[in-house]
Amino acid sequence: MTRWFQIKAVLINCGIAAALIYRYWTGTPLLIIAIVAVILFPLANVMMAITAKQQPNRSR
């Protein structure tokens, strides 16, 4: 995997974590946030990996 893919993965995961933390602070029960996190983190990363594989490699 390229360095750019790793940077995007970190940014996307931080965005998901920030959104879940915000929902927790606004009163969403922790169980619901945990269930959403278990589903959303792997789903986002798998979709990003699939998208990265489908894009043609760019040579510099």
Side-chain angles (χ1 to χ4, degrees):
M1 289 184 215
T2 64
R3 188 75 168 154
W4 179 239
F5 177 79
Q6 293 172 346
I7 293 170
K8 286 193 298 187
V10 168
L11 290 174
I12 288 172
N13 288 326
C14 286
I16 293 170
L20 292 174
I21 290 169
Y22 173 76
R23 295 299 299 183
Y24 180 68
W25 281 342
T26 57
T28 305
L30 186 59
L31 179 62
I32 294 173
I33 290 176
I35 292 169
V36 170
V38 165
I39 295 168
L40 200 54
F41 278 111
L43 180 66
N45 289 310
V46 167
M47 288 178 63
M48 189 172 33
I50 291 170
T51 303
K53 279 188 174 184
Q54 289 178 351
Q55 292 179 353
N57 292 335
R58 296 180 182 167
S59 300
R60 290 186 182 227

